[in-house]
């Protein structure tokens, strides 16, 4: 790899000409990330379990003058993810960026946690991160480059008394999976990093938002005193998708207003 010219360095955050795949593209953060990548120049493939729920994201990307393609696929089903990757490559010719946003949360006291619910969280958050990474990692290996951004959480960093036995464990696994893939795939010129946010007010955290006592507990733990906003996630994701982060791999970037600092 050679030194960048001033012009290349000026454009190092640009995603012009890049193709991104975003899983969970119908969710609050998925839609924000897909739109944010498009704002910085990328064409975007958005995936979710049903095509209908992806239409609003597709519209937002297309309104920015970028190409968008919605593909239905369950991230826990390898055959569906393979078919999605093939359709994306057939349409766009390559995949430069993968952001694995799909995920769920279920909270119960650990001593009462239904095993079925625990397994469902692990299946969607961990296996549902691994499968898209594996499938699109193979596309990137073939191409000789790629940027993978997983979505972990501050719950990967420390425990929490609010019933996070499954969610925290799953996000801890996503963080370690990120480091594992980074070390295995550096030789293929694939960067693998994770965005690990604190709480956003989305449907996923509705029950916390509606519980004033719990909401205060969350906000009291964040030195900057507020929840995360979509732009906080977009800034880090664009950085990790761009040439500005070419020498960064295996990192878990906490987007958390200082929550994990002390
Ligand atoms: N909201 C927060 O406070 C917060 C904080 C830290 C991390 N995160 C993580 O960010 C990601 C997105 O969260 P969000 O708040 O946008 O949630 P959301 O519920 O709005 O979106 C999640 C999306 O994932 C999709 N999904 C679930 N299971 C799937 C499956 N098997 N196959 C395909 N898609 C599936 C859902 O349909 C939904 O569209 C999640 O991984 C979450 O753990 C969220």
């Amino acid at each position: 790899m050679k030194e960048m010219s001033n012009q290349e360095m000026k454009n190092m955050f640009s995603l012009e000409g890049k193709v991104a795949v975003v899983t969970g593209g119908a969710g609050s953060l998925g839609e924000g990330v897909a739109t944010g990548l498009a704002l910085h120049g990328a064409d975007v493939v958005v995936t979710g379990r049903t095509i209908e729920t992806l239409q609003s994201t597709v519209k937002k990307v297309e309104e920015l003058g970028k190409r968008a393609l919605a593909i239905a696929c369950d991230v826990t089903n390898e055959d569906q993810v393979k078919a999605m990757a093939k359709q994306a490559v057939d349409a766009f010719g390559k995949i430069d960026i993968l952001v694995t946003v799909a995920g769920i949360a279920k909270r119960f006291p650990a001593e009462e946690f239904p095993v079925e619910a625990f397994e469902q969280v692990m299946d969607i958050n961990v296996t549902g991160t691994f499968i898209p990474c594996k499938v699109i990692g193979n596309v990137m290996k073939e191409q000789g480059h790629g940027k993978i951004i997983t979505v972990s959480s501050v719950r990967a960093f420390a425990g929490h008394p609010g019933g996070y036995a499954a969610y925290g464990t799953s996000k801890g696994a996503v963080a370690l999976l990120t480091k594992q893939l980074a070390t295995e795939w550096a030789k293929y010129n694939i960067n693998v990093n994770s965005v690990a946010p604190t709480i956003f007010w989305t449907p996923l955290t509705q029950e916390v938002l509606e519980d004033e006592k719990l909401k205060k507990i969350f906000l009291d733990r964040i030195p900057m005193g507020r929840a995360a906003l979509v732009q906080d996630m977009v800034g880090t994701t664009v950085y990790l998708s761009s040439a500005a982060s070419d020498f960064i791999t295996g990192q878990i970037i906490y987007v958390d207003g200082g929550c994990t600092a002390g």
Side-chain angles (χ1 to χ4, degrees):
M1 190 168 272
K2 60 175 182 49
E3 301 252 347
M4 283 181 180
S5 66
N6 279 352
Q7 191 57 38
E8 285 168 328
M9 219 175 306
K10 191 176 165 198
N11 294 334
M12 72 189 335
F13 292 94
S14 169
L15 302 179
E16 213 56 58
K18 305 288 183 193
V19 176
V21 171
V22 179
T23 74
S28 313
L29 298 184
E31 180 170 301
V33 163
T35 311
L37 294 173
L39 273 168
H40 287 265
D43 293 322
V44 188
V45 176
V46 284
T47 82
R49 280 170 294 190
T50 58
I51 288 278
E52 297 71 40
T53 54
L54 296 164
Q55 293 317 315
S56 136
T57 309
V58 165
K59 190 162 172 275
K60 285 192 173 173
V61 170
E62 287 178 341
E63 279 169 1
L64 296 168
K66 306 313 296 185
R67 291 172 68 201
L69 177 64
I71 305 177
C73 115
D74 183 323
V75 288
T76 63
N77 182 317
E78 186 171 11
D79 289 340
Q80 288 186 21
V81 176
K82 278 184 178 165
M84 175 272 285
K86 184 176 180 314
Q87 206 184 324
V89 173
D90 286 348
F92 292 100
K94 60 174 183 168
I95 301 171
D96 302 291
I97 300 157
L98 166 67
V99 193
T100 59
V101 187
I104 60 164
K106 283 185 189 288
R107 295 188 306 114
F108 296 96
E111 67 277 18
E112 293 164 16
F113 216 114
V115 172
E116 208 175 276
F118 187 93
E119 287 175 345
Q120 193 191 8
V121 172
M122 297 301 283
D123 193 33
I124 293 176
N125 292 4
V126 185
T127 312
T129 296
F130 173 65
I131 291 175
C133 288
K134 177 189 164 188
V135 170
I136 292 177
N138 271 302
V139 174
M140 292 173 168
K141 178 183 168 186
E142 193 75 18
Q143 294 169 172
H145 73 272
K147 302 265 191 179
I148 296 177
I149 297 99
T150 63
V151 179
S152 180
S153 162
V154 291
R155 296 279 67 79
F157 182 83
H160 188 287
Y164 286 90
Y167 187 78
T169 306
S170 74
K171 292 299 182 179
V174 169
L176 212 283
L177 176 66
T178 303
K179 294 181 189 188
Q180 178 63 31
L181 298 180
T183 56
E184 286 196 43
W185 292 349
K187 61 178 179 287
Y188 303 135
N189 194 28
I190 302 173
N191 301 60
V192 191
N193 291 291
S194 192
V195 182
T198 187
I199 201 155
F200 295 81
W201 303 134
T202 72
L204 190 111
T205 55
Q206 190 70 24
E207 55 174 347
V208 179
L209 180 63
E210 283 167 359
D211 181 338
E212 279 307 321
K213 207 169 135 215
L214 193 56
K215 187 178 167 195
K216 185 173 177 330
I217 293 173
F218 268 90
L219 292 181
D220 283 350
R221 290 164 74 112
I222 303 172
M224 286 187 168
R226 67 162 172 89
L229 298 168
V230 170
Q231 66 261 30
D232 301 319
M233 169 105 180
V234 168
T236 312
T237 307
V238 168
Y239 167 65
L240 292 174
S241 300
S242 74
S245 60
D246 276 353
F247 203 46
I248 311 280
T249 200
Q251 300 306 305
I252 316 303
I253 314 257
Y254 290 99
V255 178
D256 69 352
C259 183
T260 55

